[in-house]
Amino acid sequence: MILLLLSVLFSSLLLRLHLPAALLLGPLIAGLILSLRGVKLSIPRPCYLAAQAIVGCMIARAINPSVFGVLFANWALVLAILLTTLAISGLTGWLLVRYSALPGATGAWGSSPGGASAMVVMAQEYGADVRLVALMQYLRVLFVVGAAALVVRYALGNEAQAMSQAIVWFAPLTLNFPITLLLTAAACWLGVRLRIPSGAMLLPMLFGALVQGGGWMMLELPEWLLAMAYAVLGWTVGLQFNKAVFLLALKTLPQIIASILGLILMCALMALALTHILPMDFMTAYLATSPGGLDTVAIIAAGTRADMSFIMALQTLRLFTILLTGPAMARTISRYAPRQ
């Protein structure tokens, strides 16, 4: 109950400030506060998967098939962005291992800018300290969400107030709503069943985009349902932090934070370069290259006029690139990163 009350309080405050992703940030902050105070709570996995699926469906509503033409036409640039992201990630992990007491595998997986939950699972399989990897990953998500929300708020300017006031919480529902829920649930189940990384979100996103893009139906997701999904995702991130892990990582926390800030800065510079190459606004470029999770970036983008299709296409490509190259990168850093 306290978690819910704090979430409502912080979300309301952030909404009054017209901050994008307020419905994600409020629960995240509430979960973080309670977790650091020693309150032991966790979000049931089915709830987390359902929230991811709803966000995936939300992304599908905004996807424009024309974005794939843009990606194919600029395949060399897209490849360069992906390779640059990998290089930045590898350099960050190498420096982190070099100038901290973190083991090589832990530093490598902790600095990988992919889906946080996927990175934690894979890190455990490759012998890294999963507690520190989780701390690094979710700390990165925390910083990325905060930075992205501020960048978007600044970019929107006075438009942010109009967009936050445009929310209609209880719009009339049609038959498309239960069909959308059924499609989302089936796609989520299939994604989990097939063990696809982030499949609970990616398959609803894919199937939803195909259904809506094919003209078969319009996906329908009321704002109150999206708010519930955002809250679950925010709680999931916030509740990952605890005092014991912070104390464990205290010695290397400055280096971890420095590596996160460096990663965010390098990706922001890459976004700035992207705006000079493609006819694209900085907000879209920043969110597309931002080293956050698919779900959190999608929620932030949903509260803006950024090109959701391009953002999600690039973020998804990067996720799979990291998943494919992560093990090799972790082994390389573990083997060759010099120690003090």
Side-chain angles (χ1 to χ4, degrees):
M1 182 59 72
I2 296 177
L3 178 63
L4 183 60
L5 290 175
L6 284 176
S7 300
V8 171
L9 175 64
F10 286 123
S11 295
S12 301
L13 178 62
L14 294 174
L15 281 172
R16 287 185 64 85
L17 295 174
H18 312 295
L19 199 66
L23 299 175
L24 170 74
L25 287 170
L28 192 156
I29 295 170
L32 178 64
I33 291 173
L34 291 182
S35 183
L36 291 180
R37 288 183 62 86
V39 177
K40 294 184 178 180
L41 293 172
S42 62
I43 301 300
R45 179 171 167 77
C47 294
Y48 175 62
L49 294 176
Q52 281 196 316
I54 291 168
V55 170
C57 200
M58 179 269 292
I59 297 168
R61 288 193 310 176
I63 286 181
N64 186 342
S66 64
V67 71
F68 298 107
V70 175
L71 291 176
F72 284 127
N74 298 277
W75 66 268
L77 177 62
V78 172
L79 182 61
I81 292 172
L82 294 176
L83 292 177
T84 303
T85 304
L86 282 177
I88 294 171
S89 170
L91 177 62
T92 303
W94 188 90
L95 290 173
L96 191 58
V97 173
R98 170 67 178 86
Y99 294 104
S100 76
L102 284 174
T106 300
W109 285 109
S111 59
S112 295
S117 55
M119 293 300 105
V120 172
V121 171
M122 292 186 71
Q124 192 170 19
E125 294 175 358
Y126 285 88
D129 187 329
V130 69
R131 297 169 301 170
L132 290 176
V133 171
L135 172 69
M136 293 168 66
Q137 284 290 336
Y138 286 105
L139 195 62
R140 174 178 55 80
V141 171
L142 182 64
F143 273 81
V144 167
V145 169
L150 291 175
V151 167
V152 169
R153 176 66 180 88
Y154 176 77
L156 286 174
N158 294 331
E159 191 180 1
Q161 182 173 355
M163 293 188 71
S164 62
Q165 290 175 344
I167 297 176
V168 179
W169 289 105
F170 298 100
L173 299 176
T174 68
L175 186 60
N176 284 348
F177 176 55
I179 298 175
T180 299
L181 289 182
L182 184 61
L183 171 70
T184 304
C188 175
W189 176 85
L190 186 61
V192 174
R193 182 75 174 177
L194 296 177
R195 297 185 178 181
I196 299 172
S198 299
M201 181 173 60
L202 290 178
L203 281 197
M205 181 176 77
L206 175 62
F207 289 174
L210 290 174
V211 167
Q212 183 164 286
W216 292 321
M217 65 169 284
M218 292 295 293
L219 299 173
E220 190 170 319
L221 294 169
E223 290 295 335
W224 55 264
L225 181 63
L226 289 173
M228 290 170 62
Y230 298 166
V232 169
L233 293 174
W235 289 333
T236 301
V237 174
L239 293 172
Q240 292 289 333
F241 298 90
N242 62 70
K243 192 178 295 185
V245 178
F246 261 115
L247 291 175
L248 179 67
L250 196 58
K251 185 179 178 181
T252 57
L253 200 57
Q255 293 96 322
I256 292 173
I257 292 175
S259 71
I260 292 170
L261 294 177
L263 185 63
I264 293 173
L265 178 61
M266 294 297 289
C267 288
L269 292 174
M270 189 161 53
L272 187 62
L274 192 59
T275 60
H276 292 285
I277 300 172
L278 293 178
M280 180 181 299
D281 61 282
F282 179 73
M283 190 160 54
T284 296
Y286 180 79
L287 291 175
T289 57
S290 178
L294 270 174
D295 44 11
T296 50
V297 170
I299 293 169
I300 295 170
T304 71
R305 300 197 189 282
D307 186 346
M308 175 76 86
S309 299
F310 184 84
I311 293 168
M312 287 299 102
L314 207 56
Q315 287 279 350
T316 303
L317 286 173
R318 188 187 66 193
L319 172 62
F320 282 107
T321 304
I322 292 290
L323 290 175
L324 289 172
T325 60
M329 186 182 297
R331 285 195 297 268
T332 301
I333 292 175
S334 300
R335 183 176 301 174
Y336 296 109
R339 303 294 202 279
Q340 283 184 316

